[in-house]
Amino acid sequence: MRVATPRSRPRAAASAADWLAKLPATGALDEWRAPDRNLSASWQRLLATLPARPQAFGADLQRRAQQLAQHLRADAIAHNVHGTEQPLPWSLELLPLVMEPADWAAIERGVAQRAQLLQLILADVYGRQQLLEHALLPPALLFRHPGYLRPLHGFRPLAGQFLHVVAFELARGPDGRWWVTGQRTQCPDGLGHVLQHRLVTSGLFPEAFEQLRVQHMATTFRKLLQSLRAQASMAAGDAHPRLALLTPGPDAPGYFEHAYLARYLGLPLVEGGDLTVRGERLYRKMLEGLAPVHGLLRLIGDNQCDPLELDEHQGYYGVPGLLQVLRAGRLALANAPGSGFLESPALSGFLPGIAQALMGQPLLLPTLASWWCGEAAAWEAAKPHLPKLCMRPSFGPDAGALRPDAGRIADDPDAWTLQERPGRSQALRWREGRLEGVPVGLRVYAVADGAGSWQVLPGGLARAAADAEAPLLPGVGSAMDLWVRTDGTVDTFSMLTRRLSVDDILARRGAVASRAAESLYWLGRYTERTEQALRLARAALLRTAGAELPAPVQRALRALLQRAGMLGMSVSSPSRTVLRRALLKGLADEGNGLGWLLGALSRAAGSLRERLSPEQWGLMRRMGADLRSALQPQDKAAPTTTEVLRALDELAVQLAAVTGAQTDRMTRDHGWRLLAVGRHVERLVSHATQFGVLLREGALAEAEGNALLLELYDSTITFRARYQRHQDLLALVDLLVLDDNNPRAWTCILRRLRTEVRKLPIAADVADELLAGLPAQGPGLTLQALRGLDDEALRRRLDALATQLADAGAQLSDDIGKRFFAHVGDPLQKP
């Protein structure tokens, strides 16, 4: 990039002026202009770092915009909306919003004051309730609001700190000052995006970032961690508390930023299912056992925290018993539940009076004029101005500004609040090869520093929306990085540059959460089960499309397809045509068989995105979609057998890539070992069952039955090379049961199971208990033991062994789940 010189700056400003002169006049305040309407000094300095010539100026910004798009795609910044095939892209504007020091100083003072006021309100309403006693807060606004949690009345959190992070929505008012339009107190989201925006935009404009003296944000995040850690130390009773970040999980719209924030803060990312309460203490379920947790930074709503005492329908996200741990003083929770009522727009009109009563001072930042319709006088005063106002629910989630409806308000006045419409200034953005203005508002954050005061994060989310009335909510409009300039010293502290110690390295090795381990285990099982179902489907289609099958083989094939859930209708006729038609119908059914398995495989992979390469994750998502597309009727005609076989062949190649990635591209920690155990448990159960079915139906007395078994075991080539044209049952036993070099043979599967289970983080005697149902050595059978047996006696021996191994594999799976995932009977560990 061309480095600007003092000589070039006036020309750059002139170039920018040429572009800006094309913007239509809107009457709104422009964030890139000074009060005299000329280009502000900050924007002159920023634009002076860009090429001076107008043509080069536009080309340079377009190049940076392309770099931004590539960066966002590479980082997969997305809102993972549950139920959608493709995630919604997270939109970040190229240009930042630059905040002048004087403007920020006013915001900083006002936001810190309001954060302290909200803290005092919570202490009162969950304590003495003097605000109600003195009629400063209407009882209906508190007791009717679902965000006021009655089970917590009388509760005082550790150090009395209810709030650790508060977010405020700001917009320019008619006087040009920043006004408060809303506040977020339950679990303010967006901090992960704030960090990511800063990393991206400062890298795109490094010279401007340095020259404008943009304040860094790391110290504020350090204050947040220090405050939470100090309170968690009180819960732990020592100076070494364990912290975590609680997220709703991969289906949450903000999961990407949750994961980003957790990595930046150095906290493990946990879901409700990762945690359990034992004896009024909170524990994290790990492979090694239960590990205590003393502090949580939560990003789930209040009603999701504890299904035992709050909303039982949201229990998937929370932890049963969490509030009891909180009351017992054994957990620091940021933020403490029960602040949801503070987000009501109806509260705005009462805050000035409350501030005078609790703090003895007026509010420094103005608020949008509000009329709570539950006050008859307020409702009457607002009626003449309805067309100029907007309507918001007093007690429900904010869905944005609604057009006032006098009838709805009259039906339930308490439920509605009228507000003046927020003003919006305009920010500058680069869009489709030109500069343009767009309405903008801010979300800024205040963080408790643990010393009784608040630190305001020097940055935040600038939310740009084409519609000036659009709410500043995730998924609406686009975002901008907020650059806060300073005239003082730039704080260069960074949380990313601390040198790791040996203890840090040891602490980060080998720790695998039970949830991740369980997902890996089932990823292994579903991968193997899908592979087995694919082989069976291909083998069945090939055989039902050819000559008539021997009856025993056809019976065995039907039994195996039914067990795999791949017959789309009841099959009573012995006709291979009927069997093929049922199979083709079943393959297109996403609720059963192969289609369901591909969906289960994708869901298991979805919960492991942090452990899988983008290629592996993307491939597992595509496989189901590709198969569905191939099986959809073309021109109202069902696909032919040849077309279906071609689709299955393509799926086989994709599955080979998936299994190759699992084998060669994943770290071999305890989680990977459980993936391997899952694959081999599934392989043992499937292969033993297949062998047993073919034996019992008499199919192995037929050459076609032998060929089917070898194909299901993926051992046809080896068998032909070793035994040529022989069809002896003993030859099948040698290759498919006893051969330790054949990864599909029972003895090899059992050896791998014993090896991987014994490498898990359990004592030797526990491993012995888990493996007790398996034969002590090999598959429980040797060639020498088969001497003198005729085919009938050999079939009975093999049938009994196949049943034993299938049952033992199923029991091993249950025992693994109890030991590593459910922690049934896990002894409590000391905190």
Side-chain angles (χ1 to χ4, degrees), residues 307-619:
L308 289 182
E309 299 192 52
L310 302 175
D311 188 346
E312 62 181 13
H313 301 295
Q314 299 285 343
Y316 175 81
Y317 300 107
V319 186
L322 188 69
L323 291 193
Q324 190 58 32
V325 179
L326 205 58
R327 291 192 197 93
R330 304 286 178 79
L331 178 69
L333 187 60
N335 289 335
S339 65
F341 72 94
L342 293 174
E343 299 179 356
S344 171
L347 191 66
S348 299
F350 300 94
L351 287 180
I354 294 175
Q356 284 289 352
L358 295 183
M359 306 178 73
Q361 54 188 244
L363 291 175
L364 298 176
L365 287 179
T367 310
L368 289 176
S370 301
W371 295 264
W372 177 49
C373 298
E375 285 188 316
W379 172 217
E380 290 298 324
K383 280 182 180 179
H385 309 288
L386 281 185
K388 299 180 180 179
L389 303 178
C390 62
M391 183 174 76
R392 296 181 185 274
S394 300
F395 307 119
D398 186 6
L402 304 175
R403 179 172 298 179
D405 185 331
R408 294 178 69 183
I409 295 174
D411 289 341
D412 188 359
D414 287 7
W416 298 102
T417 297
L418 294 168
Q419 280 188 336
E420 63 179 336
R421 297 182 182 275
R424 294 283 166 87
S425 55
Q426 286 202 119
L428 196 62
R429 72 176 179 183
W430 179 259
R431 183 60 59 90
E432 297 179 355
R434 62 188 177 89
L435 289 173
E436 64 179 19
V438 61
V440 68
L442 305 181
R443 175 178 289 183
V444 299
Y445 300 83
V447 171
D449 65 1
S453 59
W454 293 82
Q455 300 287 324
V456 180
L457 184 73
L461 284 176
R463 299 290 296 166
D467 179 5
E469 300 299 326
L472 298 179
L473 299 173
V476 179
S478 57
M480 293 178 171
D481 189 17
L482 176 59
W483 286 12
V484 175
R485 292 191 57 245
T486 179
D487 290 331
T489 302
V490 175
D491 183 359
T492 58
F493 170 78
S494 173
M495 294 182 65
L496 300 177
T497 57
R498 184 178 68 86
R499 182 180 176 87
L500 293 176
S501 67
V502 172
D503 289 339
D504 292 326
I505 298 296
L506 293 175
R508 300 182 188 206
R509 274 189 179 180
V512 180
S514 291
R515 175 181 54 84
E518 184 174 13
S519 295
L520 285 164
Y521 175 78
W522 282 102
L523 181 67
R525 289 205 67 171
Y526 285 138
T527 302
E528 182 66 26
R529 194 178 298 180
T530 303
E531 194 173 330
Q532 298 284 347
L534 172 61
R535 280 203 195 91
L536 177 61
R538 288 200 303 182
L541 277 178
L542 287 170
R543 282 160 178 78
T544 56
E548 196 67 41
L549 291 171
V553 177
Q554 189 157 302
R555 288 196 305 269
L557 198 55
R558 182 170 58 189
L560 291 173
L561 289 170
Q562 286 174 335
R563 178 182 176 275
M566 286 197 291
L567 292 182
M569 59 186 183
S570 176
V571 179
S572 55
S573 169
S575 167
R576 61 184 174 83
T577 303
V578 174
L579 188 63
R580 182 174 71 256
R581 189 180 304 122
L583 175 57
L584 290 173
K585 183 178 181 181
L587 285 174
D589 185 0
E590 296 179 32
N592 290 287
L594 191 56
W596 183 89
L597 285 172
L598 289 169
L601 187 61
S602 177
R603 288 189 293 273
S607 63
L608 294 164
R609 290 186 62 179
E610 72 279 6
R611 296 183 63 102
L612 303 177
S613 67
E615 297 85 3
Q616 191 177 357
W617 152 246
L619 181 56

Side-chain angles (χ1 to χ4, degrees), residues 1-210:
M1 184 181 70
R2 177 179 178 270
V3 178
T5 65
R7 182 186 300 273
S8 69
R9 291 185 181 186
R11 295 178 59 201
S15 171
D18 293 340
W19 287 82
L20 295 174
K22 302 175 185 178
L23 296 181
T26 63
L29 189 151
D30 296 332
E31 295 295 340
W32 63 88
R33 297 188 191 276
D36 62 4
R37 305 300 293 169
N38 291 318
L39 195 64
S40 71
S42 293
W43 273 95
Q44 288 186 42
R45 293 171 67 182
L46 187 152
L47 295 172
T49 63
L50 304 176
R53 291 183 298 105
Q55 186 174 2
F57 175 83
D60 184 77
L61 285 182
Q62 192 61 29
R63 176 182 60 80
R64 295 177 200 247
Q66 292 171 354
Q67 291 176 349
L68 170 64
Q70 292 170 357
H71 190 101
L72 297 184
R73 281 195 299 270
D75 275 6
I77 303 177
H79 288 294
N80 302 323
V81 180
H82 179 66
T84 60
E85 186 64 28
Q86 295 294 333
L88 298 177
W90 177 261
S91 180
L92 174 63
E93 299 293 347
L94 173 65
L95 298 174
L97 177 66
V98 181
M99 179 71 65
E100 299 298 338
D103 279 347
W104 183 252
I107 290 175
E108 194 171 32
R109 290 191 299 269
V111 164
Q113 179 199 46
R114 282 181 176 259
Q116 181 62 17
L117 176 61
L118 299 182
Q119 166 70 23
L120 294 174
I121 292 174
L122 286 172
D124 178 77
V125 299
Y126 286 104
R128 297 179 60 187
Q129 297 188 337
Q130 289 183 308
L131 293 177
L132 298 176
E133 182 181 338
H134 297 149
L136 292 169
L137 180 65
L141 283 186
L142 186 67
F143 296 125
R144 185 176 171 183
H145 200 293
Y148 177 73
L149 304 181
R150 288 176 173 80
L152 288 179
H153 184 255
F155 162 70
R156 186 177 186 274
L158 293 167
Q161 192 72 44
F162 284 87
L163 300 174
H164 291 74
V165 185
V166 187
F168 293 91
E169 312 287 1
L170 306 178
R172 291 277 191 184
D175 59 357
R177 300 165 62 197
W178 287 100
W179 289 35
V180 176
T181 62
Q183 53 213 19
R184 299 288 180 264
T185 55
Q186 293 188 62
C187 50
D189 59 350
L191 284 173
H193 285 309
V194 170
L195 289 166
Q196 180 68 2
H197 296 170
R198 177 56 52 84
L199 180 66
V200 173
T201 56
S202 62
L204 289 172
F205 299 96
E207 185 182 357
F209 187 81
E210 182 178 357

